[in-house]
Amino acid sequence: MRVPIVLVHGLRTSRTMWRPQLEALRARGRTVVAVDLPGHGTRRGEVFTLGGAVETVRDAVDSVGSSALVVGLSLGGFVSIAAAAAYPERVAGLVAAGCSARPVHGWASMYRLPTVLMDRLPDRGLSVNQRFHRLTLPADGAEAVLDGGLAMEAGRAVIEEVTDLDVLGLLTAYPGTVWLVNGARDHFRIHERLFLDACVDGRLLVVPRAGHMVNLDQPEIFTRLVMDAADAVAGRSAAGGEEGAGSSV
């Protein structure tokens, strides 16, 4: 029996950033849904809270079955880790991509200042971010991100909610398998070994020629990783046993 898949987007983006995965997974007969977090996409205008984001993931899982493989990137990775710790019976497995950096106070300060500066621009930095995505992503990937809009106004609330989040403690609390997936050029992988050590059953996979938006830099590879993770979870459930811990790079 196949495991449904829930996709959780990153900061300022929306569920449209998962377009390559949605199309490829559905074409292969997979049950998959992508969510908009509070303050993003179709939910712009709402206030982002971590609790509300975790509830969004929980509700998405409930909409597709009793449990699912949850896949999150960047902010979505932090939210997915928190959801897995809060609702382990609903998260059959976890793919945490582009989020292997502890969001401690010093880290948050590096992102708070640019956010404050962008908020002072007439468009809150929208044009700068649009240009950045078009320059750094493949054309199809940039289109997927920008089609859902960029929630520039959400940045400050997200940073305040995520700062000092005990991600390592949350990973330790989750008993299931975690796949940590990072682009080789991603600056958010600085603590990936700490993250791997915190997992009860962890895997570390680094994707060559990919940056922070690993699902868009290498969409075929990322989609295959997601399918492999879903199949591993389904196989483990069918066998009624647990996989041994390990890692691969």
Side-chain angles (χ1 to χ4, degrees):
M1 181 177 179
R2 286 181 167 175
V3 174
I5 301 165
V6 173
L7 305 173
V8 191
H9 64 80
L11 174 61
R12 298 193 180 96
T13 64
S14 72
R15 60 188 176 187
T16 65
M17 66 159 278
W18 296 110
R19 183 178 297 155
Q21 283 69 48
L22 288 168
E23 292 177 351
L25 291 168
R26 286 170 177 165
R28 290 166 174 78
R30 305 280 178 154
T31 299
V32 56
V33 62
V35 302
D36 278 336
L37 295 175
H40 297 75
T42 58
R43 301 177 65 181
R44 290 179 70 175
E46 297 183 32
V47 176
F48 178 90
T49 66
L50 183 61
V54 168
E55 290 175 2
T56 296
V57 175
R58 178 201 62 194
D59 293 346
V61 172
D62 289 347
S63 74
V64 293
S66 59
S67 65
L69 175 74
V70 177
V71 181
L73 186 140
S74 193
L75 168 63
F78 293 142
V79 170
S80 298
I81 290 169
Y87 301 106
E89 72 286 353
R90 286 180 166 94
V91 180
L94 175 64
V95 177
C99 64
S100 298
R102 296 174 63 200
V104 294
H105 186 74
W107 171 92
S109 295
M110 292 189 300
Y111 290 89
R112 187 179 288 112
L113 179 58
T115 298
V116 170
L117 294 175
M118 284 193 292
D119 280 349
R120 295 177 180 174
L121 297 174
D123 65 351
R124 308 185 85 163
L126 176 62
S127 59
V128 172
N129 274 260
Q130 289 173 331
R131 190 175 306 114
F132 174 80
H133 287 302
R134 291 193 175 105
L135 287 174
T136 59
L137 292 173
D140 289 348
E143 181 181 355
V145 170
L146 297 178
D147 276 357
L150 294 177
M152 303 305 299
E153 69 279 5
R156 195 176 302 193
V158 168
I159 291 171
E160 297 304 324
E161 282 288 298
V162 174
T163 297
D164 296 326
L165 181 68
D166 183 15
V167 184
L168 299 183
L170 293 171
L171 281 172
T172 300
Y174 175 59
T177 304
V178 180
W179 287 261
L180 301 170
V181 181
N182 296 315
R185 301 194 298 264
D186 187 5
H187 58 288
F188 268 79
R189 53 178 293 216
I190 58 173
H191 299 137
E192 60 187 17
R193 289 293 170 179
L194 291 176
F195 275 59
L196 181 62
D197 290 343
C199 296
V200 174
D201 181 12
R203 311 285 187 271
L204 172 61
L205 302 104
V206 179
V207 180
R209 300 179 300 281
H212 185 55
M213 304 287 281
V214 58
N215 74 303
L216 298 174
D217 283 331
Q218 296 290 347
E220 294 84 4
I221 293 175
F222 191 87
T223 300
R224 172 50 61 186
L225 290 175
V226 170
M227 288 194 295
D228 287 348
D231 290 344
V233 169
R236 184 184 63 189
S237 298
E242 295 291 330
E243 295 179 340
S247 66
S248 60
V249 178

